[in-house]
């Protein structure tokens, strides 16, 4: 992932260290009162949007939102898509967070992706630069690289690579191999190319759970690239489609490639 972000998606031996980082980061958030955040946050005109889709009454939702407020700064408008809007009513009133109601109390992988691949979702967000985040992602304070350093990209998130073996597709993170999320690790050749530039584009994608996007680019993808276009593109580049669903981050990564966008891969 980029230096300014940290997520809990790895599942590697580093997981305990990442958990420690998260505990420290979230503990620091609790040191700020809502009043202290409110005094700085409500005064500034917003230039960017940060969006979390969390229908559940998740025990980390409040502190993750506070983490974003503290580390993103007061130029970012926070959006919370949730089912029970009263659960985040205090954040809405004190920090000016925009709360948008979802019709369902929970989403699975399929319905979450369908939501993000809809024009209605992006049309409800005000600004061009959008950060998508989830309750298993957080930001660390004090990095030399800031999130605003990456706003030129239509889509940027943590990279991962598809490795093929017969009819199976295996998922690996380039800097963390031989971590495998799907398939039998004993059947995989872990010798990845020395540079990400050497990886076939259709076999590389970016994680969407903590990612920067351009709203106009997301809408252009939805309007001009079908899911079948993405499946055909992957097959043409030797990456078989074996999934039951189209993950939104896979769709947008390849749709942007098909449309000729400059991606950080």
């Amino acid at each position: 992932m980029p230096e300014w972000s940290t997520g809990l998606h790895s599942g590697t031996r580093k997981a305990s260290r990442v958990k420690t980082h998260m505990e420290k980061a979230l503990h620091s958030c609790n040191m700020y009162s809502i009043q202290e955040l409110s005094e700085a946050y409500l005064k500034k005109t917003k230039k960017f949007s940060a969006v979390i889709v969390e229908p559940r009454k998740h025990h980390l939702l409040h502190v993750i939102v506070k983490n974003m407020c503290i580390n993103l700064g007061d130029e970012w408008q926070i959006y919370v898509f949730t089912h029970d809007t009263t659960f985040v009513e205090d954040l809405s009133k004190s920090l000016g967070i925009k709360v948008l109601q979802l019709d369902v109390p929970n989403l699975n992988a399929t319905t979450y992706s369908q939501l993000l691949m809809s024009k209605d979702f992006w049309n409800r967000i005000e600004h061009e630069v959008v950060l998508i985040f989830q309750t298993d992602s957080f930001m660390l304070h004090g990095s030399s690289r800031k999130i605003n350093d990456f706003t030129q990209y239509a889509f940027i998130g943590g990279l991962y690579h598809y490795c093929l073996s017969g009819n199976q597709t295996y998922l690996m993170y380039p800097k963390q191999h031989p971590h495998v999320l799907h398939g039998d690790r004993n059947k995989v050749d872990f010798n990845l190319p020395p540079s990400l530039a050497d990886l076939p584009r259709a076999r590389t994608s970016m994680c969407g759970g903590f990612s920067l996007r351009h709203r106009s680019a997301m809408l252009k993808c939805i309007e001009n690239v079908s899911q079948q276009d993405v499946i055909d593109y992957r097959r043409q580049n030797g990456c078989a489609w074996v999934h039951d669903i189209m993950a939104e981050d896979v769709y947008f990564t390849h749709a942007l490639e098909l449309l000729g966008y400059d991606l950080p891969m």
Side-chain angles (χ1 to χ4, degrees):
M1 287 187 176
E3 186 178 350
W4 39 261
S5 73
T6 304
L8 300 182
H9 303 286
S10 64
T12 67
R13 289 178 295 179
K14 297 180 181 179
S16 60
R17 190 170 67 184
V18 171
K19 184 177 180 181
T20 301
H21 286 324
M22 182 179 189
E23 289 170 348
K24 290 180 178 178
L26 300 187
H27 174 72
S28 67
C29 294
N30 290 326
M31 297 172 64
Y32 291 83
S33 69
I34 290 292
Q35 182 179 356
E36 288 174 315
L37 289 174
S38 178
E39 290 174 354
Y41 198 78
L42 289 176
K43 296 177 182 179
K44 192 79 172 184
T45 301
K46 309 305 180 189
K47 297 180 180 179
F48 315 103
S49 294
V51 180
I52 183 168
V53 177
E54 182 49 80
R56 302 166 296 177
K57 296 181 179 180
H58 197 286
H59 68 286
L60 287 177
L61 181 57
H62 286 72
V63 71
I64 291 294
V65 168
K66 286 177 66 177
N67 174 267
M68 295 298 155
C69 290
I70 292 167
N71 290 287
L72 288 174
D74 52 17
E75 292 184 331
W76 289 77
Q77 174 65 57
I78 307 289
Y79 288 79
V80 177
F81 285 73
T82 192
H83 179 62
D84 185 355
T85 59
T86 61
F87 184 63
V88 290
E89 188 175 6
D90 58 333
L91 295 177
S92 175
K93 291 180 178 179
S94 57
L95 298 177
I97 290 170
K98 294 188 177 181
V99 181
L100 301 175
Q101 188 169 28
L102 295 172
D103 295 333
V104 293
N106 200 3
L107 296 170
N108 58 31
T110 301
T111 52
Y112 176 85
S113 287
Q114 289 172 343
L115 177 64
L116 266 66
M117 290 189 290
S118 69
K119 292 174 65 175
D120 178 66
F121 174 80
W122 295 100
N123 283 332
R124 298 173 76 179
I125 301 168
E126 180 179 357
H127 303 99
E128 169 66 357
V129 175
V130 180
L131 172 69
I132 298 294
F133 65 100
Q134 298 176 357
T135 51
D136 62 351
S137 56
F138 61 97
M139 299 184 69
L140 297 176
H141 186 66
S143 172
S144 60
R145 301 299 299 271
K146 303 302 179 184
I147 196 168
N148 291 43
D149 297 337
F150 301 90
T151 56
Q152 71 270 29
Y153 294 109
F155 185 16
I156 178 171
L159 287 173
Y160 59 87
H161 172 58
Y162 289 95
C163 181
L164 307 180
S165 179
N167 293 325
Q168 296 296 314
T169 299
Y170 303 88
L171 190 60
M172 299 191 295
Y173 292 91
K175 292 185 179 181
Q176 298 172 347
H177 64 82
H179 173 52
V180 180
L181 296 184
H182 302 294
D184 183 355
R185 63 187 297 128
N186 297 319
K187 298 180 180 179
V188 180
D189 179 7
F190 293 111
N191 295 317
L192 296 181
S195 169
L196 287 176
D198 297 326
L199 296 175
R201 278 295 185 90
R203 297 187 187 179
T204 305
S205 191
M206 290 185 288
C207 295
F210 192 101
S211 58
L212 271 178
R213 326 262 187 122
H214 286 180
R215 176 179 172 273
S216 61
M218 300 297 101
L219 288 168
K220 189 172 182 179
C221 289
I222 295 167
E223 293 169 353
N224 294 280
V225 181
S226 69
Q227 293 184 36
Q228 188 60 49
D229 291 335
V230 171
I231 293 172
D232 292 342
Y233 169 68
R234 288 166 58 85
R235 285 175 173 162
Q236 291 165 8
N237 286 274
C239 190
W241 187 260
V242 297
H243 305 287
D244 295 329
I245 64 170
M246 172 76 74
E248 61 87 14
D249 47 8
V250 173
Y251 166 76
F252 283 119
T253 298
H254 298 320
L256 290 166
E257 289 173 352
L258 288 167
L259 292 174
Y261 279 83
D262 181 27
L263 297 179
M265 303 190 331

